[in-house]
């Protein structure tokens, strides 16, 4: 111990000597870097700023010359003079010059001109695929060559081919395996290139449901915006300088930015019956995509969950998976209620929606000093920091409208005489959020404050509102309403939108994200995973405004949208990378890798929560929040092949005669098969009376190693594993184990409890959620969902 202490003391002495020598060493040439010299605010007013520009520049030159020795050197050094309101300059300096300037009493700060990167696709940084806009060596982006030449198909509203997200700059020849094409035979068609290699539309089933199309919409072209947004999120190219209505400039990109993409348009404007995406068209698109040889299919649409083979998405995805295509679907936007999850077939990767650690902040300020952090993308209020009269929409109701309808700012409920020139306070619910703002503007409001109701809690959505607006949470909304009701002359101010990073807690589950249990097959946990789905910026159509209102003449190449539609393509992009890195992995192995490496804690290292700050459960997030870099090397996977899925279908009641109709190879149902033994990466027992034993098999996809099991038991349940140690001697080796669950003291009927099984060799952590109920909660409740997962037009 004494010898170690002497060694440490000698090391410290040598370090001090080295640093001391560096201090007195004269460098051959000092390193020059760009710095910002901030000197506060200018004394001149806005009105005479133009006349002062030259004087300010001259003063900056003279100031810097006093440090550099001449005005000529100062002019060469300065490349920006901030002359209007901010007082300061940017200049090329060495470290000693910067340090000397920082000591001057008129200088507030001197700091390096650090590079900032786009926040449009910040979700990829949040998912650790990049850091400060650069993919690190251990990033899945780097390992998988950004998904190069993987083909991602998208079933949605088509594509806007002019978007820079679908530019083929930097792309080589189209992969030889591609068998698809672009429909470009009319003036509204879609031209192919080396990035956007396919675009087709399917409409016959839509027509059969009473749908009608104009010449301008009868093509694969995206007149809605939803399809361009989802497809660019999954596989959009790099787009420097991307903006949303002139804000938040940076570089946009998809999850697999070097992948090829193909659009299959199956969704259309709502017909008289409200239908948009018809099963017949969906199934035709699946069929075409399989033939076209896509690798990944991203499907951000859905409806009420039903019997698997009464659902075109379940059928189409089954055939796709049998052909090696990975299918990813949105979980739906029916939350926060239970039993609302859709797209629950076990061969689908079903994705919930959660937040990132970025906010677009729009503050609401009151004259009493209170301020609330809301969100929107909208222009600022005119008149500087002027406070405007504030009125609740209930107080501004039209003569024949009810206060309840007016609170929601519905069409025909507002009195323009009461609204004109004021900031209108609307309650979230029933009608679309952006519609409320548009109706407020049409009634003469100068701005809108959108307040959450209690179920929506803390979940606030960044929408591209037509007028200055801020969406605030439930608690802050209560304060605003109380202020209005207790003040004779209420007023407020709404600031411009700014981006705020590294917010906490993140992620948390979006309240709109549909939840389990899975009422079609309760033994299968759904959703499988969660991914960023709130305030996602991606490509958009320029066929109409971001509010989709004819009154709004704005156009933007990128916009924000929220919904499980947005989280789905995030996982699709990750799947593209995994397909590139591991071309031999099955769809089941890829799903397992994504699920078993997910995280269930937020950036405060606490359990993930939902929009009302309550602890979330696997019925919201499945296995957790996706972690792409971990999924690249999961260690072990719960693999599933074609026969496993056929066994599953036997287990839920399909007979062998029926299964032979869609089984390519000879197949016989097993004599006794329990759904509890289906080799899924999660373990769900919805009807635990006494004791039950389930079996699983894991495959080693890493190096040889020894994995030990650890268990976090669900409350009231005893869990044991046999064996509790698995030794793998080679890659590809499989080992089976049994998990026994015993009902020790579970709660009442239908009450679920949650735990975890973890296998680890010290480097890999293979987690599976355990979900148990004491009695089956077979609630056949239809999920009240729209056909598309996005909620730009949501409530």
């Amino acid at each position: 111990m004494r010898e170690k202490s002497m060694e440490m003391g000698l090391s410290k002495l040598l370090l001090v000597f080295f640093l001391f020598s560096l201090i007195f060493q004269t460098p051959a040439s000092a390193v020059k870097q760009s710095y910002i010299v901030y000197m506060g605010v200018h004394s001149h007013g806005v009105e005479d700023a133009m006349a002062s520009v030259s004087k300010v520049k001259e003063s900056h030159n003279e100031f810097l010359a006093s440090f550099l020795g001449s005005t000529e050197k100062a002019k060469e050094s300065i490349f920006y003079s901030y002359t209007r309101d901010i007082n300061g300059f940017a200049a090329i300096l060495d470290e000693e010059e910067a340090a000397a300037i920082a000591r001057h009493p008129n200088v507030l700060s001197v700091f390096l001109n650090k590079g900032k990167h786009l926040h449009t696709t910040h979700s990829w940084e949040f998912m650790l695929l990049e850091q400060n806009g650069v993919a690190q060596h251990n990033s899945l982006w780097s390992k998988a060559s950004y998904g190069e030449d993987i083909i991602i198909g998208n079933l949605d509203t088509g594509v806007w081919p002019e978007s820079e997200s679908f530019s083929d700059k930097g792309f080589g020849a189209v992969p030889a395996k591609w068998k698809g094409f672009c429909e470009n035979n009319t003036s509204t068609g879609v031209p192919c290139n080396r990035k956007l290699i396919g675009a087709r539309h399917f409409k016959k089933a839509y027509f059969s449901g009473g749908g009608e199309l104009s010449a301008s919409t009868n093509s694969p072209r995206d007149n809605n915006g939803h399809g361009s947004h989802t497809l660019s999120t999954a596989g959009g190219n790099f787009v420097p300088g991307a903006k949303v209505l002139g804000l938040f400039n940076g570089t946009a990109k998809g999850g697999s930015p070097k992948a090829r993409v193909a659009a299959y348009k199956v969704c259309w404007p709502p017909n008289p019956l409200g239908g948009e995406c018809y099963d017949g068209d969906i199934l035709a698109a699946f069929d075409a995509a399989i033939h076209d040889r896509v690798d990944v299919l991203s499907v951000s649409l859905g409806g009420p969950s039903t019997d698997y083979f009464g659902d075109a998405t379940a059928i189409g995805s089954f055939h796709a998976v049998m052909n090696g295509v990975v299918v990813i679907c949105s979980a739906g936007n029916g939350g926060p209620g239970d039993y609302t999850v859709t797209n629950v077939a076990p061969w689908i990767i079903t994705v919930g929606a959660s937040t990132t650690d970025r906010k677009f902040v729009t503050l609401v300020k009151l004259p009493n000093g209170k301020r609330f952090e809301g969100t929107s993308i909208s222009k600022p209020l005119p008149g500087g920091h002027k406070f405007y009269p504030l009125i609740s929409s209930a107080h501004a109701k039209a003569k024949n409208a009810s206060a309840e309808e007016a609170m929601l700012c519905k069409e025909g409920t507002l009195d323009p005489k009461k609204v004109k020139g004021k900031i209108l306070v609307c309650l979230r619910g029933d009608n679309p959020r952006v519609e409320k703002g548009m109706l407020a503007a049409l009634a003469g409001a100068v701005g809108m404050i959108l307040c959450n109701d209690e179920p929506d809690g803390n979940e606030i959505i960044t929408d591209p509102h037509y007028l200055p607006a801020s969406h605030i949470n439930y608690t802050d909304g209560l304060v605003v309403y109380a202020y209005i009701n207790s003040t004779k002359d209420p007023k407020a101010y709404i600031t411009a939108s700014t981006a705020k990073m590294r917010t906490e807690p993140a992620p948390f589950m979006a309240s709109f994200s549909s939840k389990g249990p899975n009422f079609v097959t309760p033994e299968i946990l759904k959703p499988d995973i969660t991914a960023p789905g709130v305030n996602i910026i991606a490509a958009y159509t320029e066929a109409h405004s971001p509010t989709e209102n004819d009154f709004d003449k704005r156009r933007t190449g990128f916009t924000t949208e929220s919904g499980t539609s947005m989280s789905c393509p995030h996982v699709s992009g990750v799947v593209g990378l995994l397909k590139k890195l591991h071309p031999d992995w099955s769809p089941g192995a890829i799903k397992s890798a994504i699920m078993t490496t997910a995280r269930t804690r937020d950036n405060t290292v606490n359990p993930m929560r939902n929009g009302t700050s309550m602890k979330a459960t696997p019925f919201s997030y499945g296995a957790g929040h996706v972690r792409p870099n971990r999924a690249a090397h999961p260690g072990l996977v719960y693999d599933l092949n074609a026969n496993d899925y056929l066994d599953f279908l036997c287990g839920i009641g399909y007979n062998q005669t029926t299964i032979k109709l869609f089984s390519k190879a000879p197949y016989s149902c097993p004599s006794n098969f329990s759904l509890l033994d289906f080799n899924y990466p999660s373990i769900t027992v919805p009807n635990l009376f006494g004791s039950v034993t389930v079996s699983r098999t894991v495959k080693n996809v890493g190096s040889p190693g020894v994995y030990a099991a650890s268990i976090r038991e669900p409350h009231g349940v005893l869990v044991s594993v046999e064996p509790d140690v698995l030794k793998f001697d080679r890659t590809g080796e499989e080992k089976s184990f049994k998990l026994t669950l015993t009902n020790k003291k579970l709660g009442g009927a239908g009450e679920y409890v949650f735990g975890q099984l973890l296998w680890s060799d010290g480097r890999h952590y293979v987690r599976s959620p355990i979900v148990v109920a004491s009695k089956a909660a077979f609630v056949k409740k239809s999920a009240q969902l729209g056909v598309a997962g996005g909620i730009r037009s949501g409530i």
Side-chain angles (χ1 to χ4, degrees):
M1 190 74 179
R2 184 168 175 265
E3 289 176 355
K4 185 176 181 180
S5 177
M6 290 177 64
E7 289 175 0
M8 290 177 64
L10 181 60
S11 298
K12 288 181 179 179
L13 183 63
L14 291 171
L15 178 62
V16 169
F17 177 80
F18 176 72
L19 293 174
F20 187 79
S21 65
L22 286 180
I23 292 172
F24 288 93
Q25 185 177 7
T26 303
S29 61
V31 177
K32 296 279 188 178
Q33 298 185 80
S34 58
Y35 288 85
I36 309 297
V37 179
Y38 175 53
M39 306 172 75
V41 66
H42 288 291
S43 58
H44 57 67
V46 177
E47 57 279 353
D48 63 346
M50 289 300 294
S52 303
V53 167
S54 59
K55 293 182 179 179
V56 171
K57 287 183 177 179
E58 183 178 346
S59 70
H60 289 162
N61 288 332
E62 290 177 354
F63 178 83
L64 185 57
S66 65
F67 294 90
L68 302 186
S70 73
T71 304
E72 289 72 25
K73 288 183 178 180
K75 288 180 177 180
E76 289 176 2
S77 177
I78 294 176
F79 57 93
Y80 266 129
S81 269
Y82 305 113
T83 60
R84 306 299 172 82
D85 189 69
I86 299 172
N87 186 10
F89 56 89
I92 304 296
L93 306 167
D94 64 38
E95 188 175 355
E96 290 185 5
E97 292 165 346
I101 293 169
R103 291 191 289 268
H104 193 280
N106 292 343
V107 173
L108 291 176
S109 63
V110 177
F111 50 93
L112 278 170
N113 178 36
K114 297 183 291 293
K116 288 185 171 59
H117 302 275
L118 176 73
H119 297 156
T120 25
T121 45
H122 171 69
S123 45
W124 304 121
E125 182 166 359
F126 183 63
M127 293 159 66
L128 302 180
L129 284 175
E130 63 179 350
Q131 184 176 352
N132 295 324
V134 178
Q136 306 300 302
H137 73 281
N138 61 342
S139 165
L140 181 53
W141 264 351
S142 299
K143 293 178 179 178
S145 304
Y146 297 90
E148 185 177 10
D149 287 344
I150 291 296
I151 302 172
I152 299 176
N154 191 40
L155 271 62
D156 213 293
T157 64
V159 62
W160 190 257
E162 289 78 15
S163 171
E164 292 183 74
S165 291
F166 308 119
S167 163
D168 64 356
K169 183 178 180 180
F171 280 75
V174 174
K177 73 171 187 176
W178 174 244
K179 304 301 181 185
F181 59 93
C182 282
E183 295 172 354
N184 190 32
N185 53 355
T186 69
S187 59
T188 58
V190 172
C192 285
N193 61 29
R194 292 169 297 178
K195 172 69 174 178
L196 177 60
I197 60 175
R200 302 173 65 178
H201 72 299
F202 303 85
K203 62 195 177 188
K204 293 179 181 179
Y206 172 73
F207 282 159
S208 71
E212 296 180 358
L213 297 173
S214 66
S216 63
T217 58
N218 191 3
S219 81
R221 183 171 287 275
D222 182 16
N223 296 96
N224 176 283
H226 191 275
S228 299
H229 199 281
T230 53
L231 185 56
S232 65
T233 300
N237 200 354
F238 294 93
V239 184
K243 296 180 181 179
V244 180
L245 299 172
L247 300 173
F248 312 119
N249 180 28
T251 301
K253 61 274 196 183
S256 288
K258 291 188 178 180
R260 315 300 175 120
V261 296
Y264 298 86
K265 186 174 180 177
V266 297
C267 296
W268 305 92
N271 66 15
L273 300 177
E276 293 176 282
C277 317
Y278 277 79
D279 276 354
D281 296 330
I282 292 169
L283 204 54
F286 268 110
D287 198 34
I290 294 167
H291 172 268
D292 291 346
R293 304 287 300 276
V294 301
D295 298 300
V296 181
L297 271 175
S298 190
V299 186
S300 289
L301 56 88
S305 291
T306 185
D307 179 80
Y308 297 127
F309 289 111
D311 175 9
T313 304
I315 296 169
S317 58
F318 177 84
H319 284 268
V321 169
M322 293 302 103
N323 283 276
V325 180
V326 186
V327 181
I328 305 92
C329 293
S330 50
N333 300 325
D338 294 335
Y339 297 97
T340 52
V341 65
T342 187
N343 293 320
V344 296
W347 43 84
I348 292 172
I349 301 177
T350 309
V351 189
S354 43
T355 66
T356 69
D357 62 348
R358 175 190 64 185
K359 292 180 181 177
F360 298 107
V361 177
T362 309
L363 297 176
V364 173
K365 297 181 179 180
L366 303 180
N368 59 14
K370 291 186 177 179
R371 46 191 282 165
F372 312 104
E373 191 175 277
T375 188
S376 76
I377 293 180
S378 59
K379 58 187 177 184
L381 279 167
H385 290 272
K386 172 186 173 183
F387 283 94
Y388 283 83
L390 182 67
I391 187 170
S392 165
S393 54
H395 296 161
K397 77 179 189 70
K399 185 176 181 180
N400 297 323
S402 69
E404 291 77 13
E405 295 283 286
M407 281 281 284
L408 296 166
C409 293
K410 291 189 174 182
E411 188 172 3
T413 64
L414 302 173
D415 184 345
K417 293 180 181 178
K418 299 175 182 177
V419 173
K420 187 175 181 180
K422 298 176 182 176
I423 296 175
L424 186 68
V425 181
C426 298
L427 183 66
R428 182 179 180 182
D430 282 9
N431 54 325
R433 300 180 303 274
V434 292
E435 179 183 286
K436 295 174 192 284
M438 186 62 66
L439 293 172
L442 291 172
V446 296
M448 178 186 70
I449 300 172
L450 179 62
C451 300
N452 269 357
D453 53 10
E454 188 170 11
D456 288 311
N458 295 321
E459 175 205 273
I460 54 178
I461 306 296
T462 303
D463 290 310
H465 288 285
Y466 179 74
L467 78 175
S470 183
H471 182 181
I472 62 176
N473 66 31
Y474 173 67
T475 303
D476 292 343
L478 291 178
V479 178
V480 170
Y481 280 117
Y483 165 74
I484 292 173
N485 293 329
S486 63
T487 308
K488 290 183 179 180
D489 185 25
K491 292 184 178 181
Y493 174 71
I494 301 173
T495 70
S497 303
T498 58
K500 183 178 181 181
M501 310 299 292
R502 310 292 181 259
T503 60
E504 295 177 347
F508 66 82
M509 293 305 302
S511 64
F512 61 74
S513 187
S514 290
K515 293 171 59 179
N518 172 358
F519 69 83
V520 178
T521 312
E523 295 84 357
I524 303 296
L525 175 65
K526 289 288 179 171
D528 296 302
I529 199 77
T530 188
V534 179
N535 303 334
I536 304 303
I537 297 180
Y540 196 60
T541 181
E542 295 192 44
H544 56 69
S545 71
T547 61
E548 299 185 46
N549 192 292
D550 293 339
F551 182 75
D552 186 357
K553 303 302 181 184
R554 299 174 301 169
R555 298 293 185 269
T556 181
F558 292 83
T559 195
T560 60
E561 293 203 23
S562 297
T564 54
S565 276
M566 284 66 248
S567 54
C568 168
H570 275 87
V571 176
S572 303
V574 172
V575 168
L577 299 174
L578 293 176
K579 286 278 284 186
K580 178 68 177 180
L581 186 64
H582 301 291
D584 57 325
W585 280 11
S586 70
I590 288 174
K591 174 192 278 192
S592 176
I594 289 172
M595 290 177 64
T596 60
T597 57
R599 64 173 178 172
T600 59
R601 293 184 177 270
D602 60 30
N603 57 1
T604 68
V605 201
N606 289 306
M608 283 176 60
R609 298 190 172 273
N610 59 27
T612 57
S613 297
M614 299 293 290
K615 183 178 177 181
T617 74
F619 285 144
S620 291
Y621 54 68
H625 193 276
V626 62
R627 292 197 288 185
N629 296 334
R630 296 289 184 95
H633 303 287
L636 306 177
V637 296
Y638 296 82
D639 205 357
L640 290 164
N641 58 35
N643 277 0
D644 291 319
Y645 291 119
L646 297 177
D647 290 347
F648 169 83
L649 292 172
C650 289
I652 62 175
Y654 288 93
N655 62 41
Q656 190 163 310
T657 303
T658 302
I659 291 176
K660 280 183 178 179
L661 297 176
F662 50 81
S663 173
K664 292 183 177 180
Y667 171 80
S668 297
C669 282
S671 56
N672 65 347
F673 175 78
S674 169
L675 289 181
L676 298 179
D677 294 333
F678 182 58
N679 204 43
Y680 215 65
S682 57
I683 299 163
T684 304
V685 181
N687 196 6
L688 183 61
F689 283 102
S691 181
V692 69
T693 298
V694 304
S695 64
R696 290 289 189 274
T697 299
V698 287
K699 177 191 289 187
N700 179 32
V701 292
S703 55
V706 178
Y707 286 79
S710 61
I711 295 169
R712 177 165 50 82
E713 294 180 326
H715 181 70
V717 180
L718 290 175
V719 183
S720 62
V721 184
E722 180 62 36
D724 60 0
V725 174
L726 300 174
K727 184 176 183 294
F728 295 91
D729 296 319
R730 67 183 187 279
T731 301
E733 186 178 5
E734 295 185 338
K735 298 279 186 178
S736 296
F737 65 90
K738 294 185 181 295
L739 195 76
T740 300
L741 302 95
T742 303
N743 187 337
K744 181 182 179 184
K745 195 177 181 182
L746 270 173
E751 180 182 337
Y752 281 86
V753 289
F754 308 95
Q756 174 185 277
L757 167 65
L758 172 68
W759 290 100
S760 179
D761 64 349
R763 294 186 298 122
H764 304 95
Y765 299 89
V766 188
R767 296 182 176 87
S768 293
I770 301 174
V771 180
V772 184
S774 60
K775 214 169 190 181
F778 300 137
V779 180
K780 297 288 186 179
K781 179 181 178 182
S782 293
Q784 300 301 313
L785 305 174
V787 292
I791 60 166
R792 182 186 65 259
S793 298
I795 57 175

